[in-house]
Amino acid sequence: MSRRSGILEFAVLGLLRESPMHGYELRKRLNTSLGVFRAFSYGTLYPCLKTLVANGWLIEESGGGPDDALAAPLAGRRAKIVYRLTAQGKEHFEELLSQAGPDAYEDEHFAARFAFFGQTSRDVRMRVLEGRRSRLEERLEKMRASLARTRERLDDYTLELQRHGMESVEREVRWLNELIESERAGRDLRGSAADGSAPNSTSGETGGLPRHRDSTRPDPSDDTTT
């Protein structure tokens, strides 16, 4: 399985865990909710769905009510197929959620993993966030070293592009620092403890997104961080 197909399978399983969907609705959710999949087409999605069905992780059902099922053949159209997650598919997705290795914090996979942080345990979220931060800090050091070596040979526009790339990575590192701090403090989405009390490090599994004072939070799928 290629890395890109693995990311797509993960996202499809995660979306179908929320509710059954037909292919068009799935593609729309992938495009609008998970920006990393903007370039994916039906030609990519449907082979993925067939593979998941063959593995026993999804089942296909005829969509719509009885009248729709009768009307479709009469109109010369196929009834919509709805894809539903099986018990085995749910178990497989939960296994994928528990993984926090290097693939989880690479650029494209991190965006997909982050989209399902609400279903991920806090300890795994922390490992993924810290791994992502470490990877970006390494990238930032390389970018700074490269810029220092080549600064004199670059024209103004190329130099500005290099600086823009560095600023994008620096911004995401700051964002990750905020997320990690919130996770450690046990804060929920509103920046308070999950049980309504003062933040502490022993609270439960509720998510840890920080409250932002501005709109500078980076998109995890932003191409400028690559």
Side-chain angles (χ1 to χ4, degrees):
M1 179 192 305
S2 70
R3 177 174 294 180
R4 287 181 66 84
S5 63
I7 298 169
L8 181 58
E9 290 183 7
F10 171 84
V12 167
L13 291 172
L15 290 175
L16 291 177
R17 188 186 186 189
E18 299 173 3
S19 65
M21 301 180 200
H22 54 74
Y24 174 79
E25 186 179 4
L26 260 174
R27 183 171 181 265
K28 184 177 179 180
R29 289 289 305 278
L30 287 167
N31 288 339
T32 58
S33 302
L34 305 175
V36 68
F37 297 107
R38 292 187 187 102
F40 277 78
S41 65
Y42 285 112
T44 303
L45 176 59
Y46 281 102
C48 171
L49 291 170
K50 295 299 182 183
T51 297
L52 295 176
V53 171
N55 288 339
W57 297 331
L58 302 182
I59 57 173
E60 296 178 333
E61 300 176 339
S62 296
D67 292 340
D68 293 335
L70 290 174
L74 293 175
R77 295 177 298 174
R78 296 178 58 188
K80 289 182 179 178
I81 300 298
V82 173
Y83 296 90
R84 182 184 298 274
L85 196 65
T86 64
Q88 295 91 335
K90 181 179 179 181
E91 182 179 347
H92 179 62
F93 180 68
E94 290 173 350
E95 179 184 346
L96 294 175
L97 280 180
S98 69
Q99 298 175 4
D103 279 351
Y105 43 81
E106 293 295 346
D107 293 330
E108 289 187 341
H109 211 159
F110 174 74
R113 285 299 303 269
F114 190 83
F116 296 100
F117 261 24
Q119 303 177 43
T120 306
S121 65
R122 172 168 286 132
D123 64 318
V124 174
R125 291 198 303 262
M126 282 293 294
R127 292 201 298 273
V128 173
L129 290 172
E130 289 175 340
R132 175 68 175 174
R133 180 177 64 180
S134 177
R135 183 60 52 86
L136 289 182
E137 287 174 340
E138 292 174 2
R139 182 182 301 171
L140 195 55
E141 286 303 311
K142 292 179 180 178
M143 294 173 73
R144 287 169 176 162
S146 175
L147 184 60
R149 290 193 306 269
T150 61
R151 181 188 300 271
E152 300 302 324
R153 300 195 300 270
L154 299 177
D155 62 61
D156 290 344
Y157 294 102
T158 304
L159 184 60
E160 193 61 31
L161 184 62
Q162 295 275 350
R163 287 173 176 163
H164 173 68
M166 286 177 54
E167 289 172 359
S168 297
V169 178
E170 289 169 344
R171 186 171 65 250
E172 185 171 349
V173 169
R174 290 194 297 269
W175 174 64
L176 290 167
N177 286 336
E178 292 183 10
L179 288 171
I180 290 169
E181 179 184 353
S182 294
E183 291 287 351
R184 286 175 176 163
R187 290 195 290 268
D188 67 7
L189 299 180
R190 297 182 181 275
S192 59
D195 59 1
S197 62
N200 61 79
S201 59
T202 59
S203 62
E205 295 296 321
T206 305
L209 287 176
R211 179 184 296 173
H212 290 270
R213 294 180 294 275
D214 52 43
S215 59
T216 59
R217 184 174 64 187
D219 180 350
S221 65
D222 188 349
D223 290 340
T224 60
T225 63
T226 58

